[in-house]
Amino acid sequence: MSASLLEQLIDALRVLPGVGGKSAQRMAYQLLERDRDGGRRLSAALAQAMEHVGHCAQCRDFTEGPLCAICASASRDRHQLCAVETPADRLAIEQATGYRGLYFVLQGRLSPLDGIGPRELGLERLSARLAEGEVSELIIATNPTVEGEATAHYLAQLARQAKVRPMRLAHGVPLGGELEYVDRGTLSHAFGSRSEMG
Amino acid sequence: MSASLLEQLIDALRVLPGVGGKSAQRMAYQLLERDRDGGRRLSAALAQAMEHVGHCAQCRDFTEGPLCAICASASRDRHQLCAVETPADRLAIEQATGYRGLYFVLQGRLSPLDGIGPRELGLERLSARLAEGEVSELIIATNPTVEGEATAHYLAQLARQAKVRPMRLAHGVPLGGELEYVDRGTLSHAFGSRSEMG
């Protein structure tokens, strides 16, 4: 006997991060019993997003067009570039600070053991962008973890080669944490008192 | 500017129980960056389940056919009927005990303040079934909560009217808890030492 549609749904829900068998079961029952319209909306939104959301040609953030809204905006300062690990980090900075420059989303951090090197983070594209001469300041906002710091030093080197000032977020961001979860006040303070890398 | 596909996806994910804005964001980024195939599978499974999963005509459990697998099975004991609140409770009993009878899934519990009465729980169908005379024992496995106990007493009355013995799970199930989360050993013990309702 093949798996029923219900079993297939419970199994499929487990692709979501943090969702195990029990949660997946609750989710499936809840949608079936109380919110079929919500389930249909979710199905359609997933299908659309999986097919049509790609990466911005300039900053590598998620977008459905060729350029993301920030890169396409005429009102952003093109002399500042902020490198972040993930779209969630970009969103956190965007919501917490008054930053008006552009971003570069690494979609990860240097991690040789996991096979993530400069190529996987699109760093040749970043180098080319820095070499164009428009950017004068690279704000490196990778997470203050071991791998994030290593990535920061690598990015600082790239910046110096292109005669761009490498900047790092100020102390205030708790060490060992994840940028995405820092409260707005702390993040805003750290963003404001960024300093040149030694 | 209308919401982007990504924003629509994050918003749609919040229909899932226990998923707030932050979790929905993590889920969307994770699927887009690491598991688009999983996202597509989830979309398809959701669409299929929301359209084609209905209720078993006999026990009200979820099923894609007219009858669920248990009601359609020829090897189950048709003299025993076990009433549970939810499909998850039925699954817990099925996995923990050696019960070979049939089930009746209330899909809820009596809760007049929420507008859930006998009609919403399909109790006229249960009464008709008990009146047919095939069932000799109604095992009432509603949760040991205030509303679950009230529902149990109502079901016991229905059973007595139809000259069916109303049975209740034995002590051992912790009071105030949810059946779905009881460990298998406790649930199996309680199921084995069920007693007639006084």
Side-chain angles (χ1 to χ4, degrees), chain B residues 10-54:
Chain B
I10 292 173
D11 192 56
L13 281 165
R14 300 184 59 179
V15 303
L16 298 173
V19 176
K22 206 83 181 175
S23 309
Q25 192 183 302
R26 274 176 72 87
M27 287 173 170
Y29 288 143
Q30 162 91 9
L31 288 179
L32 285 170
E33 191 56 26
R34 306 251 157 73
D35 198 1
R36 295 213 179 205
D37 281 342
R40 285 187 199 101
R41 266 201 314 280
L42 176 55
S43 168
L46 273 168
Q48 284 285 314
M50 294 302 124
E51 291 314 317
H52 300 302
V53 173

Side-chain angles (χ1 to χ4, degrees), chain B:
Chain B
M1 200 172 99
S2 68
S4 72
L5 293 180
L6 179 60
E7 286 161 352
Q8 287 173 33
L9 173 58
I10 292 173
D11 192 56
L13 281 165
R14 300 184 59 179
V15 303
L16 298 173
V19 176
K22 206 83 181 175
S23 309
Q25 192 183 302
R26 274 176 72 87
M27 287 173 170
Y29 288 143
Q30 162 91 9
L31 288 179
L32 285 170
E33 191 56 26
R34 306 251 157 73
D35 198 1
R36 295 213 179 205
D37 281 342
R40 285 187 199 101
R41 266 201 314 280
L42 176 55
S43 168
L46 273 168
Q48 284 285 314
M50 294 302 124
E51 291 314 317
H52 300 302
V53 173
H55 292 289
C56 172
Q58 203 169 317
C59 76
R60 305 184 86 225
D61 197 358
F62 293 120
T63 175
E64 51 203 272
L67 285 184
C68 71
I70 290 178
C71 285
S73 164
S75 68
R76 309 287 300 211
D77 180 353
R78 293 179 179 270
H79 302 299
Q80 290 183 304
L81 191 63
C82 177
V84 292
E85 290 183 16
T86 67
D89 293 339
R90 183 195 66 68
L91 193 66
I93 289 175
E94 194 70 7
Q95 288 174 346
T97 72
Y99 180 62
R100 297 298 300 159
L102 297 177
Y103 292 93
F104 190 86
V105 182
L106 300 166
Q107 301 279 10
R109 60 194 93 173
L110 288 178
S111 180
L113 291 178
D114 302 318
I116 299 177
R119 180 199 300 270
E120 283 68 31
L121 303 184
L123 295 193
E124 71 276 25
R125 206 188 299 171
L126 178 61
S127 290
R129 178 114 165 253
L130 295 176
E132 285 168 11
E134 197 177 35
V135 176
S136 59
E137 180 184 359
L138 178 67
I139 303 166
I140 302 168
T142 53
N143 284 315
T145 57
V146 174
E147 288 169 341
E149 290 292 344
T151 309
H153 279 90
Y154 193 94
L155 294 181
Q157 277 188 330
L158 288 187
R160 285 194 206 95
Q161 283 166 10
K163 308 269 185 273
V164 171
R165 288 173 69 196
M167 309 288 279
R168 189 88 174 101
L169 295 197
H171 267 305
V173 179
L175 284 169
E178 300 273 322
L179 259 196
E180 188 182 343
Y181 295 100
V182 173
D183 67 273
R184 287 184 180 207
T186 310
L187 188 57
S188 186
H189 173 83
F191 203 87
S193 53
R194 59 187 179 267
S195 60
E196 189 157 5
M197 281 184 83

Side-chain angles (χ1 to χ4, degrees), chain A residues 55-62 67-73 75-107 121-123 125-127 129-130 134-135 137-142 155 169 179 187-188 191 194:
Chain A
H55 292 289
C56 172
Q58 203 168 316
C59 75
R60 304 185 85 226
D61 197 359
F62 292 119
L67 286 182
C68 73
I70 291 179
C71 286
S73 165
S75 67
R76 308 289 299 211
D77 180 354
R78 293 178 180 270
H79 301 299
Q80 291 183 305
L81 191 63
C82 177
V84 292
E85 291 183 16
T86 67
D89 293 339
R90 184 195 65 69
L91 193 66
I93 289 175
E94 194 68 10
Q95 288 174 346
T97 73
Y99 180 61
R100 297 298 302 158
L102 297 178
Y103 292 93
F104 189 84
V105 182
L106 300 166
Q107 301 280 9
L121 302 185
L123 295 193
R125 206 188 301 172
L126 177 61
S127 290
R129 177 113 164 254
L130 294 177
E134 196 177 37
V135 176
E137 179 184 2
L138 178 67
I139 302 166
I140 301 168
T142 53
L155 295 181
L169 295 198
L179 260 195
L187 188 57
S188 187
F191 203 86
R194 59 187 179 268

Side-chain angles (χ1 to χ4, degrees), chain A residues 13-21 23-24 27, chain B residues 18-19 23 26-27 30:
Chain A
L13 281 164
R14 300 185 58 179
V15 304
L16 298 173
V19 175
S23 309
M27 288 173 170
Chain B
V19 176
S23 309
R26 274 176 72 87
M27 287 173 170
Q30 162 91 9

